[in-house]
Amino acid sequence: MRESLELIDDTLKLEHLDWESVLYVGDTEYYQTKSGPVPNHQMRVSVRPSSGYGALNYMDHSDSGTPIMNSYNPKRPLPSIDLVFNGSTGAVFPQTAILPIADIRRALVEWIETRSRPTCIKWLPYDMH
């Protein structure tokens, strides 16, 4: 757990200007690579510590109902910042996915503790933003 928390804190210190971070956790293998198994839970993380904001994308390959979700911020006005969703395509998170970094950290800690989508923040299906 200590190493996982250190990884979260190191990830949240990065200025994700061009690339996102992708973290995996789980007890069930989703598929196998040359490097080893890839767990079925994935969290895409993009933060800008200089602004105090970040966004999350959660994927659970074993959830047939809502397998892909983005963090959701119901507060208005929304922060005006572009956070990279996919560095290889240039896609950015929707503005509604942007949350304070403290909320992002709480969600990531809950995720590694429970190995399921965090309930401490709100989520919206990926295709509904």
Side-chain angles (χ1 to χ4, degrees), residues 46-99:
S46 185
V47 294
R48 291 270 188 85
S50 60
S51 72
Y53 290 103
L56 297 172
N57 172 269
Y58 174 77
M59 187 180 306
D60 178 354
H61 297 287
S62 59
D63 183 346
S64 61
T66 50
I68 307 173
M69 306 283 279
N70 281 341
S71 50
Y72 176 67
N73 186 349
K75 297 179 182 173
R76 300 296 183 265
L78 294 168
S80 179
I81 184 172
D82 287 332
L83 293 171
V84 64
F85 178 83
N86 185 324
S88 62
T89 65
V92 297
F93 274 95
Q95 298 295 301
T96 54
I98 299 171
L99 295 170

Side-chain angles (χ1 to χ4, degrees), residues 10 12 23 36 38 49-52 66-67 71 75 86-87 89 93 100 104 114-115 119-120 128:
D10 288 346
L12 296 180
L23 307 174
V38 174
S50 60
S51 72
T66 50
S71 50
K75 297 179 182 173
N86 185 324
T89 65
F93 274 95
I104 299 294
T114 65
R115 297 177 183 249
T119 59
C120 65
M128 293 192 63

Side-chain angles (χ1 to χ4, degrees), residues 21 44 61 106:
S21 292
R44 185 178 301 258
H61 297 287
R106 248 188 4 265

Side-chain angles (χ1 to χ4, degrees), residues 2 10 14 16 20 55 77 119 123 125:
R2 184 180 54 80
D10 288 346
L14 297 173
H16 289 85
E20 73 282 7
T119 59
W123 297 90

Side-chain angles (χ1 to χ4, degrees), residues 102-119:
D103 293 344
I104 299 294
R105 185 180 191 284
R106 248 188 4 265
L108 289 172
V109 170
E110 181 181 337
W111 178 56
I112 61 170
E113 289 175 345
T114 65
R115 297 177 183 249
S116 60
R117 187 174 63 231
T119 59

